[in-house]
């Protein structure tokens, strides 16, 4: 079969869908991916897939003229490639790709990787976005959601019908993110923040916790890994200058950081699909501290492989970090091992690959029956 993948960036496609692409190619399918050009495109091509550059997809753009150009481009791509099946990821490919696939009678699978702030916040933009979603998802072979809350919200609004299913997020590659030895007991406890440095990811709460905890417990370190939005550059630099945090910038291979980490702190209130930060941390055997948000709460069993904190509450985060510090070395290590066991049971990426292959088999059988 000829498979066309519509997505919005190279990083997400390689890191979270690379195993699926490799499996499709191995099975003899022709795979074409259409995304904006990026430095990781050659790595995706090495998996055996063909690339179509999409210069019209502006991820956070809201200009209707840009979206019209994107729709026209997708129309040309579909007519030229004539795929047997299309996989779509993220909102614009899901909506505009879905509308066109439905119009042309092309089977397509939709993956809702998170609803985003446009849907989560009430207002005209939410109504517009939900209306577009309803059109885009109308004729999908299946709509995959990454958490129950997203699925139930879209069902309650009548945006999707019964042809929807749950996936364990994007899963985690358990071979790439292997269980790491817990850091030796050298007297220093290291907390890591892995995310884009922005308000919705909980950076303000993390920095406040770091400042207070460092004052009480000089044997702690707080590390920040991720690109920094301009509005936080000054405060982050000031915290680093004061010895409150250590900033690593964007990290190419987070496994090197996990090897040093005692615990991952992810105090997000961003509308996640399923947090890859938490999945990768658990896979490496690291305890996690995170919020009771959809996409986070599914990964943490409170008191077993980590702790749950209140959203936007620095004082609660400080209290929970104090609780973690009070654990013995053996208890911290066991908490990390519990996380590894959890992702092995529930979040192996192969689960997602097999689910896609199952849907493809249904489409292939239907195609054969029509011949």
């Amino acid at each position: 079969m000829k498979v066309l993948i519509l997505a919005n960036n190279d990083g997400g496609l390689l890191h979270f869908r690379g195993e699926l692409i490799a499996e499709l190619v191995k099975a003899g399918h022709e795979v074409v991916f259409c995304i904006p050009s990026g430095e990781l495109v050659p790595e995706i091509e090495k998996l055996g897939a063909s690339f179509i550059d999409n210069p019209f997809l502006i991820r956070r753009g809201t200009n209707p003229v840009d979206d019209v150009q994107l729709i026209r481009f997708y129309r040309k791509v579909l007519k030229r490639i004539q795929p047997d099946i299309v996989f779509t990821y993220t909102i614009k490919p899901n909506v505009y790709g879905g509308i066109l696939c439905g119009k042309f009678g092309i089977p397509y699978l939709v993956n809702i990787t998170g609803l985003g702030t446009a849907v989560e916040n009430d207002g005209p933009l939410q109504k517009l976005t939900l209306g577009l979603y309803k059109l885009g998802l109308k004729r999908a072979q299946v709509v995959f959601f990454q958490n129950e809350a997203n699925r139930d919200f879209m069902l309650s609004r009548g945006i999707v019908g019964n042809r929807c299913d749950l996936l364990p997020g994007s899963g985690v590659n358990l071979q790439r993110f292997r269980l790491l030895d817990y850091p030796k007991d050298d007297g220093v406890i290291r907390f890591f923040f892995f995310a884009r440095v922005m308000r919705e990811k909980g950076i303000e709460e993390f920095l406040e916790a770091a400042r207070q905890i460092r004052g009480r417990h000089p044997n702690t370190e707080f590390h920040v890994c991720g690109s920094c939005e301009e509005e936080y550059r000054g405060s982050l630099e000031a915290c680093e200058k004061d010895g409150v945090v250590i900033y690593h910038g964007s990290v190419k291979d987070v496994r090197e950081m996990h090897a040093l980490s005692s615990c991952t702190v992810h105090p997000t209130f961003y509308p996640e699909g399923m947090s890859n930060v938490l999945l990768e941390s658990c896979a490496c055997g690291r305890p996690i501290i995170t919020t009771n948000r959809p996409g986070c709460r599914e990964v943490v069993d409170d008191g077993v492989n980590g702790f749950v904190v209140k959203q936007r509450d620095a004082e609660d985060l400080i209290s929970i970090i104090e609780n973690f510090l009070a654990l013995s070395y053996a208890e911290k290590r066991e908490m990390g091992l519990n996380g590894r066991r959890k992702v092995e049971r529930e979040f192996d990426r192969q689960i997602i690959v097999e689910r896609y292959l199952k849907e493809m088999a249904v489409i292939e059988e239907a195609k054969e029956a029509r011949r």
Side-chain angles (χ1 to χ4, degrees), residues 258-294:
H258 285 308
L260 304 173
S261 172
S262 307
C263 177
T264 293
V265 180
H266 192 55
T268 181
F269 51 96
Y270 188 81
E272 311 260 2
M274 189 69 70
S275 171
N276 294 298
V277 166
L278 297 178
L279 293 180
E280 292 168 1
S281 298
C282 288
C284 291
R286 296 302 176 258
I288 56 177
I289 295 175
T290 191
T291 52
N292 186 28
R293 277 200 64 87

Side-chain angles (χ1 to χ4, degrees), residues 52-306:
I52 296 176
D53 183 20
N54 183 349
F56 300 104
L57 199 160
I58 301 171
R59 292 173 64 181
R60 295 179 181 84
T62 55
N63 188 332
V65 175
D66 294 333
D67 286 358
V68 169
Q69 288 183 313
L70 177 61
I71 293 168
R72 288 173 177 168
F73 178 74
Y74 276 156
R75 181 191 297 270
K76 290 178 182 177
V77 169
L78 289 169
K79 287 186 173 181
R80 175 159 65 91
I81 299 300
Q82 296 188 339
D84 297 299
I85 185 170
V86 176
F87 299 165
T88 68
Y89 300 91
T90 68
I91 181 167
K92 291 189 178 184
N94 287 344
V95 167
Y96 301 133
I99 290 172
L100 291 169
C101 285
K103 180 179 179 180
F104 296 145
I106 302 170
Y108 63 107
L109 309 183
V110 175
N111 193 312
I112 306 290
T113 55
L115 296 182
T117 53
V119 173
E120 185 158 290
N121 299 324
D122 291 333
L125 185 57
Q126 184 196 62
K127 291 181 180 179
L128 173 63
T129 305
L130 289 177
L132 289 171
Y133 257 131
K134 191 167 186 176
L135 292 173
L137 308 183
K138 187 176 181 180
R139 294 185 172 88
Q141 171 83 6
V142 64
V143 179
F144 290 123
F145 290 93
Q146 298 195 352
N147 63 64
E148 290 183 0
N150 285 179
R151 179 199 63 188
D152 294 347
F153 177 87
M154 296 293 258
L155 281 170
S156 69
R157 298 298 183 98
I159 307 302
V160 292
N162 294 327
R163 198 72 181 104
C164 62
D165 202 357
L166 278 175
L167 292 176
S170 298
V172 61
N173 185 323
L174 296 173
Q175 284 69 50
R176 174 172 168 75
F177 289 92
R178 296 181 181 275
L179 177 64
L180 302 175
D181 290 336
Y182 199 68
K184 292 181 179 180
D185 189 3
D186 62 358
V188 180
I189 309 299
R190 298 173 178 88
F191 296 93
F192 273 75
F193 176 99
F194 298 98
R196 196 160 76 249
V197 179
M198 57 187 290
R199 184 176 66 90
E200 292 84 356
K201 294 291 186 177
I203 188 60
E204 293 180 6
E205 291 75 18
F206 183 83
L207 294 179
E208 179 61 25
R211 189 175 294 279
Q212 293 200 35
I213 294 290
R214 284 277 294 149
R216 302 174 197 171
H217 304 274
N219 64 324
T220 59
E221 290 180 1
F222 288 80
H223 298 253
V224 176
C225 302
S227 60
C228 184
E229 294 203 344
E230 193 59 38
E231 65 177 301
Y232 287 104
R233 194 167 301 280
S235 58
L236 192 59
E237 289 175 354
C239 283
E240 188 168 32
K241 185 178 179 181
D242 293 342
V244 174
V245 300
I246 300 168
Y247 180 49
H248 300 273
S250 296
V251 175
K252 189 172 183 179
D253 189 347
V254 295
R255 293 173 298 181
E256 297 174 0
M257 299 293 107
H258 285 308
L260 304 173
S261 172
S262 307
C263 177
T264 293
V265 180
H266 192 55
T268 181
F269 51 96
Y270 188 81
E272 311 260 2
M274 189 69 70
S275 171
N276 294 298
V277 166
L278 297 178
L279 293 180
E280 292 168 1
S281 298
C282 288
C284 291
R286 296 302 176 258
I288 56 177
I289 295 175
T290 191
T291 52
N292 186 28
R293 277 200 64 87
C296 295
R297 64 189 179 212
E298 293 84 354
V299 187
V300 60
D301 295 328
D302 196 22
V304 179
N305 69 317

